[in-house]
Amino acid sequence: MSRTLPTINTALRALALVAIASIATADCVRPGDRVLLVSTRPVGCTTDPARLAKGVTAAERADCRWNATDFSAAMASLDPTLPIVFYVHGNQITASEARRCGLDVYTRLVRCAEDDRPIQFVVFSWCSDKVPGLLKDFREKAARTKPVGYQFAWVISRLPQGSHVGLIGYSYGARVCSGAAHLLAGGSLGGLTLGADCPACGVASVRAVFLAAAYDACWNSPRAYHGLALNRIDTLLSTTNPIDPAMKYYKWVPINSKPPAVGGVGPRGLSREQAARVRLMPVANSVGRSHDVYDYLAAPGLMRAAWRRVAFADVSLEPEAAGADADAIGE
């Protein structure tokens, strides 16, 4: 029996992963939903607002294809009374992989929905293509997440007034989300800021789900590098998996220190108010020694919990209910 159960569990997980990985083939966008792509790849790592305005591209999924559209028009067309959910991918992802995986995350999310509320799902694609040398690649992309965090915050700041934003960040994508939230709260990333008017840029609320978050566990503590992120994020669900190899060996990415990663141990050094916004979900038993996004998507209960948060499934987003308490999340 002790030999049979692991074999059965492995087989069941393999079947689940095959099902998730085949989602893009079905390519179903639910009636009432919108699925968009926003890419900063054409502008590299620039943080010049003028270049971003001219170079950021957008597309919308319809009829099983991506149809190019104007970025500014796409942002303006989003409905602030419906959830706007961003997925930010991790490292070593090509443009085509970002599109395909983004669709998979969308479909997995809506398959775990507990109601039929429509959502607007946006895949954020950034320049994370693999560069030669494993450690060099990890360190170069870690540095790149600073300007990309600015780019992502700049994109969010273009949303309509009163928007309700859900963030799903995977690996370095969670690092990008955390940095963007810090900027949206009026913070600075190595001198990069969105300006004095940013905290009133129009976003009503932000909720986040981080999967295998690849950034320093202390960064969300007060006065740390992303210290204002949890001032802007109303609620954060973060997976923890210390045996994920990327989390286990994350300590070798920074040069002058060896910190643990949020995705391994959760955020550390938080104030009581910050800690009240965070829920940790251990997934080592289901994900195991893997840093594959599809293993995380298959973790039991994870995407159902993600839906409740990023789809604001516990509150109404109608204008008259905009002041509703967003922290009371039923599990």
Side-chain angles (χ1 to χ4, degrees), residues 80-85 162-166 203-206 310 312 316-317 322:
T81 68
L82 299 178
I84 303 171
V85 182
S163 294
H164 299 264
V165 177
V203 175
S205 55
V206 179
V310 299
F312 293 79
S316 170
L317 300 185

Side-chain angles (χ1 to χ4, degrees), residues 109-280:
L109 180 67
V110 297
R111 284 185 176 180
C112 294
E114 296 182 337
D115 57 30
D116 59 356
R117 68 179 59 209
I119 65 169
Q120 301 159 110
F121 189 89
V122 185
V123 181
F124 179 76
S125 182
W126 57 282
C127 50
S128 67
D129 300 66
K130 185 177 181 179
V131 300
L134 187 60
L135 187 56
K136 178 184 177 183
D137 176 87
F138 290 164
R139 287 176 172 169
E140 181 174 322
K141 302 306 174 44
R144 197 177 292 182
T145 57
K146 181 179 77 171
V148 173
Y150 175 91
Q151 293 176 340
F152 186 43
W154 180 87
V155 168
I156 293 174
S157 73
R158 265 61 191 167
L159 294 175
Q161 187 79 21
S163 294
H164 299 264
V165 177
L167 307 176
I168 302 177
Y170 178 72
S171 191
Y172 274 169
R175 186 183 182 115
V176 169
C177 290
S178 180
H182 175 75
L183 287 168
L184 289 165
S188 169
L189 290 181
L192 294 174
T193 67
L194 287 176
D197 294 333
C198 177
C201 65
V203 175
S205 55
V206 179
R207 295 178 171 189
V209 175
F210 291 169
L211 315 177
Y215 66 95
D216 294 23
C218 67
W219 275 5
N220 292 137
S221 62
R223 295 179 296 280
Y225 190 45
H226 293 176
L228 298 182
L230 290 177
N231 292 359
R232 199 63 185 89
I233 295 174
D234 300 326
T235 178
L236 167 64
L237 172 67
S238 176
T239 63
T240 58
N241 181 10
I243 61 175
D244 177 327
M247 302 298 99
K248 184 176 180 179
Y249 297 111
Y250 174 81
K251 62 185 179 181
W252 300 111
V253 175
I255 296 175
N256 298 319
S257 62
K258 292 182 172 58
V262 168
V265 300
R268 292 183 169 179
L270 303 183
S271 68
R272 181 175 298 181
E273 181 181 0
Q274 289 176 319
R277 299 173 182 266
V278 178
R279 181 198 165 197
L280 303 181

Side-chain angles (χ1 to χ4, degrees), residues 29-34 82 118-120:
V29 176
R30 297 186 312 169
D33 286 358
R34 295 180 66 188
L82 299 178
I119 65 169
Q120 301 159 110

